[in-house]
Amino acid sequence: MVQRIAGTDTAEAMYEAAALLVGAVCFLVGFVVSLPVFWGRELAITGSASLGAFVAIGGAAVAALAFVVGRFAMRSHYEAADATPRRDRFADTDDRLRWYDLAAIAFAHAAVAYLGWLGIAQLLEQSFTDAPVFALPGAILVAVSFALTAYVCFLSAVALTPMSLSLVLAIFLVVGAFASMLAASDPHWWQDNLSALGMSTNVSAVAFNGTLVIAGIMVTTISRYATAGLPVDTREQRRGRRIVRGGLILMGVFLACVGIFPVDEFFALHNTVATGMAVVFAVVVVGLPWFLPTIARVFVALGWIYVLVIVMLGVFFAVGYYNLTAVELIAAVLIFSWIIVFLRTAGAVGAPLTDPTRQDAASDPPALPTPPRGR
């Protein structure tokens, strides 16, 4: 059916047609569900029981479902064609994404959709102050937002790569951090430290700690697959790749533990895992040219600069020039930005060179068989 709608048997066109179908279904569902709920009411753009809240909550559910549908669609296509799912661009086809990996990635898509639509609603509220939204246009807006969310998340699910996941990780960290700051019950949380956002007495604790846990799982997942494609020629290089992979995975585990153990309830353990993440980061960055000789020298220099800046921030904190929040925030930005750039650099190093003027048949899923036509 998808092949007939697409009008071609190429994989890209069929996945695009499938994404449009999923979006169309979500458009209809969003309109049919929201119109009776909105009927006879004038909706506010933001607030409780508002249009923005309805779109954000529903968009999060649609994002997760569309991602799951996309993964099943891709797996069904490959199983039907008796081929390995190389569209994911992961090097080890025997080490596929596990269910908890996919659950974390699906949750990240849902969180980005939820926070993104809430942010758009806040922006529209500032642009259209006190403007009411009637039932019919409100239902159409809901339907369009659901369709767009489903379309994007479906296409993201059927073409996962370490590079694309690094982009999802970056967006997820940004929206999660800002949501935690905006939801903080104490407006002066920054006078203590960054971990104050995760205290049990703070309204933002769930958003902050949940962001760290999911981000830690994603870092662990992406690190395992991104480093698998790095070229190694000797036993020493293979050992170095394992060390870098283990270091990144350990950083992801420590990051998740920072969210699992809030600072007000597990002070010593929280500080231990946070410090451990910084130590592991420094070891990986300093030893990277020996662990991975094929990595770009400019990236190695960038990592060393990051480490020097973090050390300088520690000195500023020791002399009282910076408070702890400033040091933690800048260090977190540097560490996460390095991880994201490393994942993209590793994906570029491990990617084979191809001729852009022709399509590589081995990199795309096999086309579905064309039904025979009568004479």
Side-chain angles (χ1 to χ4, degrees), residues 214-279:
I214 298 301
I217 297 175
M218 291 184 65
V219 169
T220 302
T221 300
I222 304 172
S223 301
R224 189 170 69 252
Y225 289 97
T227 55
L230 290 172
V232 289
D233 299 325
T234 64
R235 181 179 301 176
E236 289 74 15
Q237 293 180 1
R238 191 173 293 106
R239 184 185 303 112
R241 185 179 65 178
R242 285 198 299 267
I243 294 174
V244 173
R245 179 187 300 175
L248 292 173
I249 291 175
L250 190 59
M251 291 172 62
V253 172
F254 282 162
L255 177 61
C257 290
V258 171
I260 294 174
F261 305 108
V263 67
D264 57 334
E265 299 179 5
F266 306 91
F267 180 80
L269 187 56
H270 178 91
N271 289 338
T272 299
V273 293
T275 305
M277 184 173 63
V279 172

Side-chain angles (χ1 to χ4, degrees), residues 40-59:
R41 299 170 51 196
E42 291 185 359
L43 303 169
I45 299 178
T46 60
S48 59
S50 64
L51 176 64
F54 192 94
V55 170
I57 296 174

